[in-house]
Amino acid sequence: MFKISLHKKVLGAFLLLSLVPLGILLFSSQHSLRLVEDLLRQRTTEALDNQAAKALEHRAQMVATQVSTFLQEIEGDLLDLSLLPTTEESYLGFSRNHQRELWYRHGTNDNPVEIREDALLYSELAYVDGNGRELIRIVAGQPSSQYRDVSDPAQTTYKTETYFKQAAQLETGKVWVSRLHGWYVSRDDQLQGAKNPLEAVQGTVYRGVIRFATPIMKNGNLQGVVVLSLDHRHLMEYTQHISSIGDKDIVFPSYASGNYSFMFDDQGWMITHPKYWDIRGYDSAGQLVPAYNSETPEKDIQSGRIPFNLFSASFIHPSYPLVAEAILHGESGVVEAVNVGGSNKIMAYAPIYYEEGVYRDHNIFGGITIGAEIDQFHQPAVATSLLIRSEINNYLKQSWLLISLTVMFVIATAYILSDSIVNPVLLLTEGTRRLIRGNLSPVVKVNSNDEVGVLADSFNTMVDELNSRRRRLLQTLQALRQSRKEIIRERNFKNTVFENIETGLLTFDMDSKVTSANGPACQILEIDRPGKDCSWKKLLVEWPELHEVLGQWFLSGKTGESRSFRKYISLERKGRTLTYRMAMFPLSFRQQEGWLLTIEDLTERVNLRQQMARMDRLASLGRMSAGIAHEVRNPLTGVSLLLDELHDRLLGQENDQQLIRRALGEIERLESLVNEMLHFSSLPTPKLAYGRIEKVLQDSLFLTRTQCLRQNVKLIEHVADNLPELTMDADRVKQVLLNLLNNALDAMPDGGELKIAVETSNDEILIRVTDTGVGIPPEQLPLIFEPFFTSKGQGTGLGLAISYNIISDRGGEIQIESKLGVGTTVLVSLPINPIG
């Protein structure tokens, strides 16, 4: 079908007017211009309405993104707080350093005053131990001594909160986020005699919290839970000041006009709204007030006890549950709706993405809606339409005047006017169509300074502003993601270094309070992680040997005599001698001064050095003993033979023979000593064979039972069943057992109790010999295995030294514990499968 362009229509009309009477020319010109007017008004109205709807939706998306970013920032704050020392000072400083501006009304209903002030971001901070007991609690920026057991929901603020239980089940670095908790505010509570929320300045303000919690673990065990409670008023700031009819923010919106914004969670509950009675809340018994629905009792409606849930609001308008469902699917859009007050409005909505805590099911925190009253929503399009009509009317008036002057002038002017009018309109129409299709980069080039040119420039400016805001938003999001990654990487690196270094580290503030201790320090000193305001003396109460050293260091550090200290410390613990190397240095971190104490356990290193020194000493003693024995043994044999011959020649001289016999006895004792020295210096090669330790034990006991009866010593045996066979030199093990049993009997000359127990433990056979004798003085215990040392006044003092060498050669150990007046216990451990 042949189609005549608008340009040709206008030009043809003007040409016809030059050939027909002036009246017909004017009528045709007016009719054509009215067609242009209607088309332009229709297209412009549609484009402006669509653009306004898109702008409203985009604004809702921007607010939703800001809320999502805000929630993630709180996550970061929570993880930062979990890294701080668990002290009241640290938590108090954290609370006061995190504030944001609140803009609200104050005063009276008749004389309201706008106030802008910085308020605490978190109304509560708490550190809860692994059993649910609060150890630190900061409320409204002040320390609180009212600690609770929050593992019991009944003891929480709103009597049904389970954030401790939920956070305790998380892994390290994970965060639990609750829904909004607050005491319900009814309509009467908010209005208190005022006609509407806009006039209710003196009414009750809704105060609620959203809990953020994360666990602190140690070696896979729960140490505690850190809790941040977001003040709900800061969430309200994102919707309370939005005005859908202009760019200027307002202190409080008008609910009656429909030009307001609200926020709801993933369950459809209202969580920010100008009407506080629409917000979810709990009654005094800790029960959630039921949502307003078609079956709500009349008494609740009259009293204003009607919290709003979009899923239950289809009886008000069917769009509300559809919006809530779309938000759960991550969709945004624009719908028409009617609020409870009966206002018709356009409502844009957008999802708030979030995936922690109770919002993990849909990865949606909730939604943002921005409403605009329908008449005001269409006001820009109506104003533009009126502007177009006014301009065309003005043009017609001018045309009447021009056409009345001359037909020729009309013909000359017709082409110019039609081109200047139609082309910009077509360009704007095409640009509007591209904008509707989602192209945010159309540029309409109109070389005109009239209203159409201004409209084109405004159109281009609007497109540039949309693109600019989109680019800034993307850049901001990218910067936030990068910053969060860097913070997490730095935190993980510091935690790894602090907890995995072998040296124990403890930090103190300038008041000598312990602020932190790493895992190796807790392991070396066998202490738990310090709590808040922990004194170093209280933490090290089981280590009195360290008190004098640390006390002197702290005193010297305060007086400025020295700035670093080092010392080696030896002490006794559980029968062992421990050696620690301690050092203390000044510490400055985050404008907080203090001290860093390092502690290293050098016990194994010192014991190894002592063992090597003893081996060298025994080797030298063995070589000396062998030389002495060889030099003394042969002369002793000759002297013994000569004395024996002399004894035989003195028959009948009994006194002289008695002296010779005593001399022979002393020589025999000296030979026995020489033989033991030879045996100690060069033990024969063991004859290893599989055998049972219980048989060797019974052979040894057989030789000592008679002596036990003579000394009135009670013998108690306990030998475990099914003892495994092991490779050993039975004679040498028997020698060790006889030596231990004889020593025990020597310690009980007046009777007592002798216990022998044999059992297996960790691939070892343990032999425990316990007596109730006089015991060994503590100062003699370190010398007990030294050659020639004896406390009995007789003997060679080589028995335990030889026993020690026999057990050590077998790859075992021999240990002695003794208390004066109580008795002595000797523990011999023999590996079932010795190395080598």
Side-chain angles (χ1 to χ4, degrees):
M1 183 177 179
F2 180 76
K3 183 177 181 180
I4 300 176
S5 66
L6 182 63
H7 180 73
K8 291 180 180 180
K9 288 181 180 180
V10 175
L11 183 59
F14 278 108
L15 291 175
L16 288 176
L17 286 176
S18 65
L19 302 175
V20 297
L22 185 59
I24 298 175
L25 178 61
L26 292 175
F27 175 81
S28 177
S29 174
Q30 184 176 3
H31 177 70
S32 299
L33 288 175
R34 290 303 180 189
L35 290 177
V36 173
E37 175 192 349
D38 292 339
L39 177 63
L40 185 59
R41 290 175 62 190
Q42 178 184 357
R43 296 291 177 85
T44 302
T45 300
E46 293 176 355
L48 289 176
D49 283 349
N50 290 333
Q51 186 60 36
K54 288 293 183 181
L56 202 62
E57 179 183 354
H58 181 66
R59 190 173 185 183
Q61 291 172 343
M62 290 178 61
V63 175
T65 301
Q66 292 172 356
V67 174
S68 178
T69 303
F70 176 60
L71 296 173
Q72 293 173 5
E73 290 174 356
I74 298 174
E75 269 187 59
D77 288 347
L78 177 64
L79 296 177
D80 288 344
L81 179 60
S82 67
L83 299 178
L84 293 180
T86 53
T87 64
E88 188 171 86
E89 290 82 3
S90 299
Y91 278 52
L92 189 59
F94 184 93
S95 173
R96 295 174 177 174
N97 288 335
H98 288 75
Q99 300 186 32
R100 284 201 176 194
E101 184 184 73
L102 290 180
W103 183 21
Y104 61 93
R105 300 176 302 168
H106 194 61
T108 65
N109 294 348
D110 296 331
N111 187 24
V113 178
E114 294 185 14
I115 294 179
R116 292 177 183 263
E117 65 177 6
D118 289 337
L120 295 175
L121 185 59
Y122 304 111
S123 57
E124 268 189 61
L125 294 84
Y127 176 76
V128 185
D129 67 17
N131 296 318
R133 185 68 183 174
E134 291 178 333
L135 300 181
I136 300 175
R137 189 179 181 211
I138 307 298
V139 179
Q142 298 296 329
S144 174
S145 60
Q146 297 179 358
Y147 301 120
R148 308 165 299 178
D149 183 3
V150 294
S151 63
D152 179 9
Q155 296 191 37
T156 60
T157 302
Y158 300 103
K159 302 181 180 180
T160 56
E161 297 177 85
T162 60
Y163 54 86
F164 171 76
K165 178 181 178 182
Q166 299 293 346
Q169 298 173 358
L170 299 178
E171 300 176 357
T172 300
K174 297 297 183 180
V175 176
W176 174 259
V177 185
S178 73
R179 290 191 169 85
L180 174 65
H181 287 73
W183 300 121
Y184 181 72
V185 176
S186 68
R187 180 174 57 211
D188 294 340
D189 293 334
Q190 182 181 4
L191 297 182
Q192 294 188 6
K195 296 179 180 180
N196 53 60
L198 187 62
E199 298 176 2
V201 178
Q202 296 174 257
T204 302
V205 178
Y206 184 94
R207 295 297 297 271
V209 297
I210 297 178
R211 310 282 192 189
F212 291 72
T214 187
I216 298 178
M217 311 295 289
K218 174 185 176 184
N219 298 328
N221 297 320
L222 177 67
Q223 295 298 300
V225 172
V226 178
V227 183
L228 279 181
S229 300
L230 171 65
D231 191 336
H232 168 262
R233 294 180 298 169
H234 292 283
L235 202 61
M236 200 84 158
E237 287 290 300
Y238 286 94
T239 59
Q240 183 168 286
H241 309 306
I242 293 177
S243 173
S244 59
I245 60 174
D247 294 330
K248 184 178 180 180
D249 291 339
I250 57 177
V251 64
F252 196 87
S254 170
Y255 173 78
S257 69
N259 298 317
Y260 61 90
S261 175
F262 64 83
M263 187 188 308
F264 58 93
D265 67 13
D266 62 333
Q267 292 184 337
W269 287 103
M270 203 75 68
I271 57 177
T272 70
H273 197 279
K275 296 193 306 179
Y276 298 154
W277 64 85
D278 279 359
I279 301 176
R280 65 173 271 164
Y282 292 81
D283 60 20
S284 59
Q287 300 298 318
L288 189 63
V289 177
Y292 182 30
N293 56 58
S294 58
E295 299 178 0
T296 298
E298 185 64 22
K299 64 176 183 178
D300 288 344
I301 297 176
Q302 293 299 325
S303 64
R305 187 180 168 89
I306 47 175
F308 202 89
N309 188 302
L310 269 65
F311 286 108
S312 304
S314 59
F315 72 99
I316 297 175
H317 196 280
S319 294
Y320 286 117
L322 296 178
V323 168
E325 189 66 29
I327 287 296
L328 292 182
H329 291 86
E331 299 171 1
S332 60
V334 179
V335 296
E336 290 189 12
V338 178
N339 65 9
V340 178
S343 297
N344 294 318
K345 63 178 183 177
I346 297 295
M347 188 171 71
Y349 59 90
I352 302 171
Y353 294 102
Y354 193 63
E355 57 183 17
E356 296 296 339
V358 296
Y359 309 102
R360 188 178 295 277
D361 292 341
H362 301 95
N363 292 336
I364 295 293
F365 177 81
I368 291 288
T369 70
I370 301 177
E373 198 272 332
I374 286 183
D375 291 340
Q376 293 181 347
F377 176 81
H378 293 305
Q379 185 176 357
V382 173
T384 303
S385 177
L386 293 176
L387 177 63
I388 294 174
R389 169 169 288 183
S390 175
E391 292 298 325
I392 291 180
N393 288 337
N394 290 335
Y395 174 75
L396 286 174
K397 292 178 181 179
Q398 294 175 3
S399 298
W400 276 86
L401 179 61
L402 293 174
I403 292 173
S404 65
L405 294 176
T406 177
V407 172
M408 294 302 295
F409 182 75
V410 169
I411 295 175
T413 318
Y415 183 85
I416 299 174
L417 290 176
S418 63
D419 185 75
S420 64
I421 294 174
V422 175
N423 280 349
V425 171
L426 293 177
L427 290 174
L428 282 172
T429 303
E430 180 60 26
T432 303
R433 288 175 178 171
R434 285 183 289 173
L435 193 62
I436 293 173
R437 291 194 295 267
N439 183 2
L440 295 180
S441 59
V443 177
V444 177
K445 297 181 179 180
V446 176
N447 297 322
S448 174
N449 295 322
D450 58 10
E451 290 78 4
V452 177
V454 173
L455 181 61
D457 292 339
S458 299
F459 178 84
N460 293 332
T461 302
M462 178 185 67
V463 173
D464 292 339
E465 181 64 21
L466 288 175
N467 285 324
S468 176
R469 292 185 179 184
R470 181 174 179 271
R471 286 192 298 271
R472 289 198 299 270
L473 180 60
L474 293 175
Q475 291 172 356
T476 302
L477 289 175
Q478 183 66 27
L480 287 174
R481 292 192 185 99
Q482 183 64 29
S483 177
R484 183 174 181 271
K485 290 180 180 178
E486 292 176 356
I487 291 173
I488 293 175
R489 183 164 56 248
E490 180 180 356
R491 181 199 65 196
N492 292 339
F493 172 76
K494 291 180 178 178
N495 285 345
T496 301
V497 173
F498 188 73
E499 289 297 334
N500 292 285
I501 188 173
E502 292 184 357
T503 301
L505 301 176
L506 293 94
T507 58
F508 307 87
D509 59 19
M510 292 307 295
D511 295 327
S512 304
K513 299 285 184 63
V514 183
T515 57
S516 67
N518 68 349
C522 295
Q523 182 178 0
I524 292 173
L525 298 176
E526 299 178 355
I527 58 175
D528 296 328
R529 295 274 186 177
K532 67 170 186 176
D533 293 334
C534 180
S535 168
W536 67 269
K537 293 184 178 180
K538 180 179 179 182
L539 183 66
L540 303 177
V541 68
E542 300 296 334
W543 301 86
E545 300 89 342
L546 306 182
H547 286 198
E548 181 179 356
V549 176
L550 287 178
Q552 183 178 358
W553 286 359
F554 282 129
L555 181 61
S556 299
K558 290 181 179 180
T559 57
E561 296 179 9
S562 178
R563 299 296 293 171
S564 62
F565 311 91
R566 294 176 179 82
K567 189 170 184 179
Y568 288 86
I569 299 176
S570 296
L571 44 87
E572 297 292 332
R573 277 294 181 281
K574 298 179 181 179
R576 296 181 58 206
T577 299
L578 305 179
T579 302
Y580 291 159
R581 180 170 62 188
M582 297 173 56
M584 193 166 72
F585 310 93
L587 176 67
S588 178
F589 178 68
R590 293 184 179 178
Q591 300 180 351
Q592 297 181 1
E593 294 185 352
W595 298 94
L596 172 65
L597 176 67
T598 66
I599 182 167
E600 297 179 73
D601 188 353
L602 305 180
T603 302
E604 296 299 329
R605 197 182 305 175
V606 171
N607 290 343
L608 182 60
R609 291 177 180 172
Q610 292 176 349
Q611 187 175 359
M612 293 177 64
R614 184 178 184 277
M615 291 174 62
D616 291 340
R617 190 166 61 253
L618 291 177
S620 300
L621 184 59
R623 291 191 296 270
M624 182 187 71
S625 299
I628 293 174
H630 281 293
E631 292 298 328
V632 174
R633 192 174 192 181
N634 291 334
L636 282 179
T637 301
V639 172
S640 179
L641 292 175
L642 292 174
L643 288 175
D644 189 56
E645 178 66 24
L646 182 59
H647 177 274
D648 293 340
R649 292 183 181 182
L650 295 176
L651 293 175
Q653 300 181 28
E654 184 61 28
N655 291 334
D656 294 336
Q657 286 184 328
Q658 181 66 24
L659 292 174
I660 292 174
R661 283 196 296 271
R662 289 184 179 178
L664 288 172
E666 292 300 319
I667 290 175
E668 288 178 359
R669 193 174 69 83
L670 189 56
E671 285 182 344
S672 175
L673 174 61
V674 170
N675 289 333
E676 287 193 31
M677 291 176 61
L678 285 174
H679 185 72
F680 172 76
S681 63
S682 57
L683 289 175
T685 302
K687 300 176 182 179
L688 300 178
Y690 275 99
R692 292 192 171 275
I693 193 65
E694 55 265 46
K695 183 179 183 305
V696 178
L697 177 62
Q698 291 302 326
D699 290 345
S700 302
L701 291 175
F702 176 77
L703 299 176
T704 58
R705 290 184 192 275
T706 302
Q707 186 63 26
C708 289
L709 294 175
R710 291 176 182 173
Q711 295 184 203
N712 194 24
V713 173
K714 182 180 179 182
L715 182 61
I716 301 174
E717 306 175 39
H718 176 72
V719 181
D721 297 330
N722 301 321
L723 291 173
E725 289 188 344
L726 71 160
T727 57
M728 62 180 175
D729 187 331
D731 291 337
R732 299 180 69 180
V733 174
K734 180 179 178 181
Q735 179 182 355
V736 173
L737 294 176
L738 285 174
N739 192 9
L740 298 180
L741 294 172
N742 289 331
N743 285 345
L745 290 174
D746 290 341
M748 298 183 290
D750 298 325
E753 189 175 88
L754 177 60
K755 297 180 182 178
I756 302 97
V758 183
E759 58 185 359
T760 59
S761 175
N762 299 327
D763 297 327
E764 290 182 334
I765 289 182
L766 303 180
I767 304 171
R768 186 176 281 102
V769 179
T770 303
D771 64 61
T772 59
V774 295
I776 303 173
E779 65 272 10
Q780 293 184 2
L781 280 175
L783 307 173
I784 203 69
F785 294 114
E786 293 294 330
F788 304 111
F789 175 79
T790 178
S791 62
K792 297 184 292 185
Q794 59 181 356
T796 62
L798 292 173
L800 285 178
I802 293 173
S803 299
Y804 183 88
N805 289 343
I806 291 174
I807 298 302
S808 297
D809 290 343
R810 177 58 178 72
E813 293 183 359
I814 180 169
Q815 302 175 11
I816 294 182
E817 295 181 0
S818 183
K819 290 186 178 180
L820 281 175
V822 177
T824 302
T825 297
V826 181
L827 178 64
V828 178
S829 59
L830 293 173
I832 297 175
N833 298 307
I835 301 175

